[in-house]
Amino acid sequence: MIYHLTALCTGFFVDLLLGDPLGGFHIVVWIGKGISLLERAFRRIFPKNMRGEFWGGILLVLLICICSLSLSIGVLTVLYLIHPAAGLAAESFLCWQCLAMRSLKKESMRVYENRNDLVGARAAVGRIVGRDTDKLDFSGVFRACVETVAENSSDGEIAPMLYLALGGAPLGVLYKAINTMDSMLGYKNERYLYFGRAAAKLDDAANFIPARVTAILTVVSAWVMGLDGSNAFRIFRRDRYQHASPNSAQTEAACAGALHIQLGGTASYFGKPVEKPTIGDNDRPIEAEDIIRANRLLYASGTICFVLCALVKGVVMLLC
């Protein structure tokens, strides 16, 4: 137990200092390559119809989940048997790679740095969102960026941290695999409507509790950071289901309420407009400074979650 707690703490602080490792040396990159490989293979093997794509997608999800979990358990077991220090180093590395708080801030701040350059801002936000960005005005760019920070405060930080605290690095790696499959396959377009359905539904299930925990932590963080915690809670309760996903609006609603801005609305994906409900009240125009405020909420909620996870694991360790 002490090794798992130490690995979680090490991974959290290394992420704060360094962010994601450079280049392709990242588990998400490796998982992504595996997903792409299996997708190409299964699209050749399974019939090119609704039923074939659906079952091909299910098999892909099962294989990626099994491989991610079994490989991480196997590698860590062997290294801990060789020497506890080797196992601890490997588990700390995996915990680091499961967390993305600094990298999310870094990428979103690229948008802020280009706040007076629309072309540069569009390019910067295009690195972190799935929507079309070539026709966004400054308001649209800032809105897309804030939405991404709010949503990924769960996907990129709180959710993996909860899974790391619950089951160590293997469970954290499994969560990242599920989240990566959804990012690559979970689109409701012609190509992925059936093939990516299993990935999308599994991601919804994996994020159901973490998204709500993140929203509550965002409300608490709004009070801590001197923002409007009362309004964050009010908008969270009112608008937390204003999204096709059962999870995305949870965190976006809390963030929108804390900042007194409106998120959501119509967005373009792959050249087609997608109607979305609005989240929050349009109390004022969204501005570049809201990116900084959203990141303050991200860091506050991430830090609170880490402290709580570390304390709970510490108490459990002492009791056991």
Side-chain angles (χ1 to χ4, degrees):
M1 178 73 76
I2 185 63
Y3 294 124
H4 303 316
L5 175 58
T6 303
L8 174 62
C9 293
T10 302
F12 177 78
F13 286 113
V14 173
D15 176 61
L16 277 181
L17 292 172
L18 302 179
D20 284 343
L22 298 175
F25 198 62
H26 197 291
I27 56 170
V28 171
V29 175
W30 304 336
I31 292 169
K33 290 180 178 179
I35 294 169
S36 296
L37 180 66
L38 288 178
E39 180 185 356
R40 290 194 297 269
F42 291 162
R43 285 191 181 279
R44 288 195 299 267
I45 295 171
F46 284 86
K48 294 177 174 57
N49 54 38
M50 180 184 71
R51 188 179 180 86
E53 290 189 359
F54 178 71
W55 285 105
I58 288 180
L59 183 58
L60 184 150
V61 166
L62 288 174
L63 287 176
I64 291 294
C65 288
I66 291 170
C67 289
S68 299
L69 187 61
S70 60
L71 283 174
S72 55
I73 290 175
V75 169
L76 289 177
T77 299
V78 170
L79 290 176
Y80 271 118
L81 287 174
I82 293 173
H83 196 281
L88 177 59
E91 187 166 10
S92 298
F93 176 77
L94 291 176
C95 289
W96 166 34
Q97 297 218 325
C98 287
L99 302 172
M101 188 159 68
R102 182 180 176 91
S103 295
L104 179 57
K105 179 183 178 182
K106 179 181 177 181
E107 291 297 325
S108 63
M109 288 304 292
R110 291 180 190 270
V111 181
Y112 179 80
E113 291 161 4
N114 285 278
R115 61 192 179 278
N116 296 316
D117 174 12
L118 184 56
V119 174
R122 286 170 174 169
V125 80
R127 293 165 56 95
I128 56 175
V129 301
R131 72 190 65 183
D132 301 330
T133 61
D134 56 322
K135 295 181 180 179
L136 293 178
D137 57 12
F138 276 119
S139 178
V141 168
F142 300 151
R143 179 175 292 104
C145 186
V146 171
E147 286 178 8
T148 297
V149 173
E151 182 177 356
N152 284 283
S153 61
S154 177
D155 295 0
E157 185 66 16
I158 305 300
M161 192 183 303
L162 292 174
Y163 282 107
L164 289 169
L166 183 64
L171 201 58
V173 171
L174 175 61
Y175 171 77
K176 295 303 289 186
I178 293 170
N179 193 238
T180 303
M181 286 188 288
D182 179 63
S183 298
M184 295 178 65
L185 309 175
Y187 296 101
K188 292 183 178 180
N189 56 24
E190 185 176 350
R191 178 174 177 81
Y192 290 113
L193 182 60
Y194 301 110
F195 192 88
R197 183 169 296 180
K201 294 300 183 183
L202 181 59
D203 184 75
D204 286 345
N207 282 295
F208 189 85
I209 292 176
R212 287 149 181 80
V213 171
T214 305
I216 295 301
L217 290 176
T218 300
V219 172
V220 174
S221 298
W223 273 308
V224 171
M225 302 306 293
L227 298 169
D228 196 338
S230 296
N231 198 55
F233 185 64
R234 181 179 72 85
I235 299 298
F236 161 66
R237 291 187 63 191
R238 191 191 74 187
D239 292 349
R240 64 188 185 274
Y241 293 115
Q242 292 288 86
H243 200 285
S245 164
N247 303 319
S248 295
Q250 303 285 329
T251 52
E252 290 181 25
C255 180
L259 303 184
H260 282 272
I261 58 174
Q262 190 171 80
L263 301 176
T266 302
S268 176
Y269 294 85
F270 306 104
K272 296 181 179 180
V274 176
E275 297 288 338
K276 294 182 178 181
T278 57
I279 299 170
D281 295 326
N282 192 20
D283 295 334
R284 61 174 179 82
I286 193 166
E287 59 184 9
E289 298 301 317
D290 289 315
I291 298 173
I292 294 178
R293 297 180 186 112
N295 276 304
R296 287 168 60 193
L297 290 172
L298 164 69
Y299 266 63
S301 59
T303 301
I304 293 170
C305 184
F306 166 71
V307 171
L308 292 175
C309 287
L311 285 175
V312 170
K313 285 188 73 68
V315 170
V316 171
M317 183 182 66
L318 290 174
L319 292 176
C320 294

